[in-house]
């Protein structure tokens, strides 16, 4: 019986993944490089970085570091100005909070997470939030979800992960936690063969848990 739910953030609770892609694409374009969607998907699925495109093109590390700052600024601009809402998320979380302890485990930077969730009310239903600064190795390593288990003092068999990406699924599998994949057009090309469950939207999650 499940008692704990660990949610990914981007693409599960808020629609941000496309804007992160656009921020990377814009920054790389300023270096004369094109970040194609299929290449980006391949990189993200295995937990790589879009800057591999610049490295392969021979761009110097110090130039990449400067452009990374620009990328972060572009992303924050999108977070300020674009609609990030996924319908009915808060309603689902309110219902789930009556039965389950919940938390968010994300590879987002804390500064971006706080901007995304300012006055959104989603994190109000969470016992804690783990961002990329809070664990040693990011997804697809198991560290983020193992840290979540530790903070809940939970067993893997009492826990379920909700993800939308291949690297997130791999992280959950490596932590020996069952994983639900919620459909997201942005990650539809990822390999989800190791997932335990599939749902079209978050509203279907309660059906799996019951």
């Amino acid at each position: 019986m499940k008692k704990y739910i660990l949610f990914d953030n981007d693409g599960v609770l808020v629609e941000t993944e496309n804007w992160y892609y656009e921020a990377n694409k814009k920054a790389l374009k300023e270096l004369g490089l094109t970040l194609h969607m299929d290449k980006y998907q391949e990189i993200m699925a295995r937990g790589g970085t879009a800057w591999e495109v610049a490295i392969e093109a021979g761009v110097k590390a110090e130039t990449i570091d400067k452009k990374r700052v620009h990328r972060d600024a572009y992303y924050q601009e999108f977070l300020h100005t674009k609609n990030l809402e996924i319908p009915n998320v808060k309603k689902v979380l309110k219902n789930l909070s009556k039965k389950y302890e919940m938390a968010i485990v994300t590879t987002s930077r804390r500064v971006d997470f706080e901007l995304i969730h300012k006055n959104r009310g989603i994190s109000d239903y969470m016992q804690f939030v783990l961002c990329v600064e809070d664990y040693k190795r990011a997804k697809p390593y198991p560290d983020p979800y193992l840290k979540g288990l530790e903070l809940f003092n939970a067993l893997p068999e009492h826990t379920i992960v909700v993800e939308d990406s291949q690297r997130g699924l791999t992280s959950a599998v490596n932590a020996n936690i069952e994983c639900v994949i919620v459909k997201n057009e942005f990650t539809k090309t990822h390999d989800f063969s190791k997932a335990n469950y599939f749902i079209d939207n978050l509203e279907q999650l309660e059906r799996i848990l019951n």
Side-chain angles (χ1 to χ4, degrees):
M1 182 177 177
K2 304 304 181 187
K3 301 177 182 178
Y4 308 96
I5 308 173
L6 297 174
F7 289 95
D8 177 44
N9 181 58
D10 303 287
V12 173
L13 301 176
V14 285
E15 204 66 90
T16 50
E17 289 179 320
N18 182 62
W19 300 118
Y20 194 64
Y21 164 67
E22 291 293 340
N24 279 284
K25 182 179 176 182
K26 184 175 181 179
L28 284 165
K29 187 176 181 179
E30 292 171 352
L31 294 173
L33 301 170
T34 302
L35 180 60
H36 295 289
M37 177 62 81
D38 56 349
K39 176 66 173 178
Y40 183 74
Q41 289 288 1
E42 182 269 320
I43 290 170
M44 290 297 105
R46 57 178 165 77
T49 167
W51 301 107
E52 292 173 22
V53 174
I55 294 169
E56 290 169 4
V59 178
K60 293 181 179 179
E62 54 265 34
T63 302
I64 292 175
D65 288 342
K66 290 177 182 177
K67 194 53 63 176
R68 196 190 306 268
V69 174
H70 295 167
R71 185 277 312 275
D72 292 343
Y74 298 147
Y75 183 49
Q76 291 210 342
E77 181 183 354
F78 288 142
L79 297 180
H80 272 296
T81 59
K82 303 299 182 180
N83 179 21
L84 312 178
E85 186 175 349
I86 295 177
N88 299 318
V89 166
K90 285 177 66 176
K91 182 180 77 172
V92 172
L93 295 178
K94 183 178 181 180
N95 290 336
L96 291 172
S97 68
K98 298 171 185 175
K99 297 181 182 179
Y100 306 95
E101 298 287 301
M102 303 186 297
I104 296 173
V105 180
T106 177
T107 53
S108 292
R109 300 183 306 158
R110 179 70 62 173
V111 64
D112 293 331
F113 181 89
E114 291 180 354
L115 179 57
I116 291 166
H117 286 277
K118 184 179 181 181
N119 301 322
R120 197 171 292 277
I122 288 175
S123 55
D124 295 346
Y125 297 102
M126 305 298 167
Q127 272 58 57
F128 58 84
V129 174
L130 292 176
C131 293
V132 72
E133 298 91 345
D134 298 321
Y135 41 80
K136 187 175 181 180
R137 300 176 300 177
K139 304 170 187 179
Y141 289 100
D143 303 36
Y145 286 119
L146 290 176
K147 183 71 173 181
L149 291 179
E150 178 187 336
L151 291 179
F152 269 141
N153 194 26
L155 295 172
E157 56 264 36
H158 294 158
T159 310
I160 198 160
V161 165
V162 184
E163 272 283 355
D164 76 316
S165 72
Q166 183 178 330
R167 68 174 178 174
L169 168 62
T170 303
S171 178
V173 169
N174 288 339
N176 200 31
I177 308 172
E178 287 190 345
C179 185
V180 179
I181 293 296
V182 60
K183 184 178 180 181
N184 189 315
E185 284 299 308
F186 192 79
T187 57
K188 64 182 180 181
T189 61
H190 290 200
D191 178 6
F192 294 128
S193 58
K194 293 183 179 180
N196 300 93
Y197 309 97
F198 299 89
I199 55 178
D200 291 325
N201 54 65
L202 215 57
E203 293 167 272
Q204 296 177 354
L205 181 58
E206 218 168 350
R207 185 189 69 200
I208 289 172
L209 293 168
N210 291 334

